[in-house]
Amino acid sequence: MTHIVVLGSTNMDLVAYVAKAPRRGETVTGREFRTIPGGKGANQAIAAARAGATVSMIGAVGTDAYGPELRSTLEHSGVDTDLLRTIEGPSGTAHIVVDDEGGNAIVVIPGANGTVDHLAPGDEGLIASADALLLQLEIPMPAVVAGARAARAHGVRTVLTPAPVQPLPPELLTATDLLVANEYEAITLTGRTDAVDAAGALLESVPAVVVTLGAAGSLYLARGAEPLAVPAPQVTAVDSTGAGDTFVGALAVALGAERPIREALRWAAAAAALSVQRPGASASMPYRSEIEAQYTS
């Protein structure tokens, strides 16, 4: 079974559902509020575990009421939390507005995640034991770079999600095997005007790139290979909050199972399509049997 280690964030998502998101200075009435365990790191860990991998989480939660709930949610999804630190103070939170079209706007408060700025004892050994390391940018960059370097030193595939988008240090790009960005992130990182040009520009820094395009599917570019466009299942979105993380977690599982890249991307798209039809991030993530049913339908 594929072993995936996730080095990243855990947040409690505080989600408000509204017909239309407020503009600056505007107050609107929402129809529902939920607290849902999330964070890009935890989301990818849960997605990968539900998709069938053995998953371990490296990160931090706080000593507030959210900390034990975040840890428990990971464990109940089958994620090992032995190296998930508990830090005095608040856990990370994400304040999310979701509109009736399934779109979202998010403000992240790092909390305990902000203390994860280095690899702690045991972290490198756990990374070395993995088939893949999943990284995002909701923890301090020094830890992300250290994790990528450890993975590279031990021959572990590194999958980077550059979100929230920010400049990427050369040492991180050098140690990245696959970069998975959405269209906005790819364009922002490169200054290009469309996804194809942006993916090509990113390929100058990493050996392989996936740009996710929402309902339009995904685009894959690798050095020495022809570009590959893969469509996504057409579904009605309820909440797209966890779709990108679901895609990455499922893609890592599919690649670990040595599926050809086209099949791996289709399988990941099937998982993401299931997630957007349900509210919440981690709560929306499908199990392997559901993904297989969607993939073969």
Side-chain angles (χ1 to χ4, degrees):
M1 183 179 292
T2 301
H3 179 206
I4 293 172
V5 171
V6 181
L7 171 60
S9 59
T10 58
N11 294 323
M12 184 60 74
D13 292 347
L14 311 176
V15 189
Y17 294 91
V18 299
K20 186 176 181 181
R23 294 170 296 179
R24 185 175 183 179
E26 181 184 13
T27 299
V28 301
T29 299
R31 68 173 182 277
E32 186 178 3
F33 173 78
R34 296 185 182 186
T35 57
I36 305 171
K40 295 195 72 64
N43 287 345
Q44 292 185 4
I46 290 170
R50 290 185 177 181
T54 298
V55 182
S56 303
M57 179 79 198
I58 301 172
V61 296
T63 52
D64 58 359
Y66 294 146
E69 186 175 354
L70 291 168
R71 184 182 295 273
S72 176
T73 298
L74 286 163
E75 292 172 349
H76 286 161
S77 294
V79 178
D80 173 71
T81 63
D82 286 352
L83 294 184
L84 181 65
R85 313 166 199 175
T86 298
I87 303 298
E88 185 69 31
S91 300
T93 53
H95 304 255
I96 305 172
V97 176
V98 179
D99 63 31
D100 278 353
E101 295 181 356
N104 62 73
I106 306 173
V107 176
V108 175
I109 310 297
N113 298 307
T115 70
V116 186
D117 57 5
H118 63 283
L119 294 184
D123 290 350
E124 182 167 351
L126 183 62
I127 292 169
S129 72
D131 298 299
L133 173 69
L134 306 189
L135 298 166
Q136 324 77 36
L137 304 179
E138 287 185 343
I139 59 173
M141 187 64 77
V144 179
V145 173
R149 284 176 167 171
R152 176 53 55 90
H154 295 284
V156 175
R157 176 191 285 125
T158 301
V159 181
L160 172 65
T161 303
V165 66
Q166 57 189 279
L168 302 178
E171 58 267 36
L172 175 58
L173 292 168
T174 298
T176 296
D177 296 301
L178 174 64
L179 188 146
V180 183
N182 64 27
E183 186 172 11
Y184 169 79
E185 292 156 359
I187 289 173
T188 300
L189 285 170
T190 61
R192 303 302 175 93
T193 57
D194 67 72
V196 176
D197 285 349
L202 289 168
L203 204 61
E204 296 175 7
S205 301
V206 296
V209 176
V210 173
V211 178
T212 58
L213 305 170
S218 62
L219 176 67
Y220 174 79
L221 273 74
R223 293 172 182 168
E226 291 294 318
L228 177 64
V230 177
Q234 297 305 297
V235 299
T236 299
V238 171
D239 182 353
S240 63
T241 305
D245 296 327
T246 301
F247 182 94
V248 172
L251 179 61
V253 174
L255 293 175
E258 299 184 353
R259 290 182 185 243
I261 186 61
R262 183 185 295 273
E263 291 183 19
L265 291 167
R266 285 187 56 230
W267 204 74
L274 288 166
S275 76
V276 302
Q277 297 177 74
R278 307 165 180 173
S282 63
S284 72
M285 292 173 173
Y287 289 88
R288 186 181 186 91
S289 59
E290 297 176 291
I291 301 170
E292 288 289 356
Q294 174 72 53
Y295 175 76
T296 56
S297 65

